[in-house]
């Protein structure tokens, strides 16, 4: 693990979005030492250089490695805007440092799946909080919403999926010319319909306490929805004559 490499990568990501005052204010609140200057001619941004200086100052302090990593994760969490959280956390993870999140084990389990961006948007925070039931519910609702928008349909749920997918629907992922084409197209239709019936409807109508979803089941269901979302991304809207 190289703190120098971490400092360069983090500074490069945050150099446009985080004011120097914010960097210094959060560093002062997190660390109990003065910032040193570590000149790096490859860094041209004053903000990136400030981040670099603070992280390298931390790297030179005499302390337990776990404590140092904890302080780095806290500093990064405090200065990183929400839209860059996943990028910064991934840098920390790649270097063996657990991000400063509510539950590190759950965070690592979540990001290891490489979900579709929509799953990150709607389910990440719920999953990390251990709220597996609502993480699944929000992802299923998001898929339903995105299908409605792309298909320009007023239908909903299972009816929506059966009408807009399939070879007679408006969302096409194959030309529907060969038997294989038709099988794949209908397969996505029935998978999408099954998601609505087996997952979205129960989570919409049953109390969470009476319909528990385990961590493993949540991850598997989110992977399934992620697969459908990627198919939706590739689908073409086609309204026949």
């Amino acid at each position: 693990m190289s703190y120098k490499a971490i400092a360069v990568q983090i500074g490069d990501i945050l150099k446009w979005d985080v004011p120097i005052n914010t960097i210094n204010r959060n560093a002062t609140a997190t660390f109990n030492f003065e910032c040193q200057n570590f000149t790096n001619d490859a860094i041209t941004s004053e903000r990136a250089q400030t981040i670099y200086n603070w992280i390298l100052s931390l790297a030179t302090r005499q302390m337990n490695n776990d404590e140092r990593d904890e302080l780095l994760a806290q500093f990064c969490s405090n200065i990183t805007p929400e839209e860059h959280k996943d990028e910064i956390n991934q840098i920390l993870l790649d270097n063996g440092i657990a991000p400063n999140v509510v539950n590190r084990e759950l965070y690592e389990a979540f990001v290891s799946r490489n979900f579709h961006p929509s799953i990150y948007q709607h389910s990440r925070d719920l999953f990390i909080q251990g709220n597996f039931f609502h993480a699944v519910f929000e992802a299923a609702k998001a898929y339903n919403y995105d299908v409605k928008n792309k298909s320009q349909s007023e239908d909903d749920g299972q009816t929506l999926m059966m009408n807009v997918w399939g070879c007679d629907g408006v969302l096409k992922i194959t030309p529907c010319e060969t038997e294989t084409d038709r099988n794949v197209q209908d397969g996505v239709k029935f998978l999408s319909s099954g998601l609505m019936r087996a997952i979205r409807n129960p989570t919409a109508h049953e109390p969470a306490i009476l319909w528990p979803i385990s961590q493993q089941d949540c991850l598997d269901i989110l992977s399934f929805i992620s697969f459908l979302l990627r198919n939706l991304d590739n689908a073409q809207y086609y309204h026949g004559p």
Side-chain angles (χ1 to χ4, degrees):
M1 175 182 61
S2 168
Y3 263 57
K4 183 178 291 187
I6 293 172
V8 169
Q9 292 176 65
I10 290 175
D12 191 55
I13 291 172
L14 300 182
K15 64 186 177 183
W16 304 112
D17 301 294
V18 186
I20 291 177
N21 287 342
T22 298
I23 298 168
N24 287 328
R25 183 175 65 252
N26 281 284
T28 302
T30 304
F31 307 135
N32 63 352
F33 51 80
E34 298 293 326
C35 185
Q36 300 173 255
N37 185 53
F38 296 85
T39 303
N40 187 329
D41 293 336
I43 298 176
T44 58
S45 161
E46 186 177 358
R47 296 173 181 179
Q49 181 66 55
T50 302
I51 292 172
Y52 184 83
N53 287 341
W54 277 112
I55 293 179
L56 267 291
S57 296
L58 172 63
T60 62
R61 303 295 294 181
Q62 292 295 321
M63 64 177 68
N64 179 277
N65 287 336
D66 289 341
E67 181 184 358
R68 181 182 290 107
D69 290 349
E70 182 76 26
L71 288 172
L72 175 61
Q74 181 65 56
F75 173 60
C76 292
S77 176
N78 290 344
I79 67 171
T80 302
E82 187 62 32
E83 62 267 24
H84 294 303
K85 289 285 188 185
D86 289 326
E87 291 177 273
I88 299 302
N89 286 341
Q90 191 60 57
I91 290 172
L92 296 178
L93 283 172
D94 288 345
N95 286 276
I97 300 172
N100 188 58
V101 294
V102 175
N103 187 310
R104 293 175 179 178
E105 289 185 5
L106 290 182
Y107 180 85
E108 292 182 26
F110 186 89
V111 299
S112 69
R113 291 294 184 111
N114 192 28
F115 291 124
H116 184 277
S118 184
I119 302 294
Y120 274 81
Q121 179 183 359
H122 294 283
S123 301
R124 181 193 61 185
D125 291 346
L126 290 166
F127 182 88
I128 293 171
Q129 294 162 11
N131 194 343
F132 306 134
F133 178 93
H134 285 98
V136 166
F137 184 35
E138 290 302 309
K141 286 197 300 181
Y143 179 66
N144 183 75
Y145 179 84
D146 289 347
V147 171
K148 282 176 69 77
N149 278 354
K150 191 160 189 176
S151 66
Q152 304 174 34
S153 173
E154 296 299 321
D155 291 328
D156 186 75
Q158 183 180 6
T159 302
L160 169 71
M161 303 307 168
M162 294 298 287
N163 287 342
V164 303
W165 291 109
C167 290
D168 56 349
V170 295
L171 296 182
K172 296 291 192 295
I173 56 173
T174 77
C176 289
E177 294 175 351
T178 67
E179 183 178 358
T180 297
D181 287 345
R182 292 188 289 273
N183 286 341
V184 170
Q185 190 73 46
D186 281 343
V188 171
K189 174 178 71 175
F190 290 120
L191 289 172
S192 298
S193 174
L195 171 67
M196 295 297 105
R197 186 158 186 171
I199 304 298
R200 194 205 65 163
N201 291 353
T203 53
H205 299 129
E206 298 294 333
I209 195 171
L210 299 178
W211 196 265
I213 295 177
S214 69
Q215 176 183 334
Q216 185 62 58
D217 285 348
C218 180
L219 288 169
D220 290 345
I221 293 168
L222 292 179
S223 290
F224 172 52
I225 299 173
S226 183
F227 165 76
L228 292 176
L229 284 163
R230 296 188 199 283
N231 274 279
L232 180 62
D233 287 345
N234 293 328
Q236 300 295 317
Y237 177 85
Y238 174 76
H239 196 287

